[in-house]
């Protein structure tokens, strides 16, 4: 018997992709120099996938992106604006993750 493994994807509408990417990119902008360059680059790559014409990202990458953005939020000196942006990102991604068929 052969087990088939598939990669679950999260799909965004264009409006959701724009809202998410604007919040995430602004959050990265506010992070400043305390945020490691490798994390910054990886987060931007994941965000670019959401912004692509397909507006999709693999579930594992979406979960990694949540962690990267959370770390980003904690490295900034601008606590309030970044927490609001991070909350927006978490809300959008959490709803998408929760709606993935099991």
């Amino acid at each position: 018997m052969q087990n088939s493994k598939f990669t679950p994807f999260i799909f965004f509408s264009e409006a959701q992709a724009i809202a998410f990417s604007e919040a995430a990119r602004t959050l990265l902008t506010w992070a400043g120099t305390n945020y490691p360059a490798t994390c910054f680059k990886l987060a931007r790559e994941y965000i670019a996938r959401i912004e692509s014409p397909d507006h999709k990202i693999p579930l594992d990458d979406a979960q990694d992106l949540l962690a990267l953005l959370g770390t980003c939020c904690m490295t900034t000196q601008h606590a309030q604006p970044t927490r609001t942006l991070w909350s927006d990102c978490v809300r959008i991604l959490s709803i998408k993750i929760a709606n993935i068929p099991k």
Side-chain angles (χ1 to χ4, degrees):
M1 186 164 86
Q2 187 178 18
N3 290 337
S4 65
K5 183 171 176 163
F6 68 96
T7 302
F9 279 87
I10 297 174
F11 294 88
F12 295 80
S13 69
E14 186 169 347
Q16 291 167 332
I18 290 169
F20 180 83
S21 66
E22 284 180 0
R25 287 188 181 278
T26 304
L27 179 59
L28 289 175
T29 300
W30 283 88
T33 58
N34 293 333
Y35 194 59
T38 53
C39 293
F40 183 83
K41 181 180 177 193
L42 187 56
R44 286 184 52 106
E45 287 175 15
Y46 289 153
I47 294 165
R49 291 181 193 171
I50 294 170
E51 294 172 329
S52 73
D54 292 337
H55 303 302
K56 69 178 187 177
I57 186 171
L59 174 60
D60 290 346
D61 292 351
Q63 292 168 333
D64 289 348
L65 181 55
L66 276 177
L68 287 167
L69 294 175
T71 303
C72 179
C73 182
M74 295 299 149
T75 62
T76 183
Q77 297 175 1
H78 309 283
Q80 185 51 46
T82 56
R83 289 184 191 197
T84 300
L85 294 168
W86 184 70
S87 294
D88 291 345
C89 293
V90 168
R91 180 182 41 79
I92 293 168
L93 272 181
S94 295
I95 290 169
K96 299 309 263 178
I97 290 170
N99 289 326
I100 291 180
K102 304 280 185 229

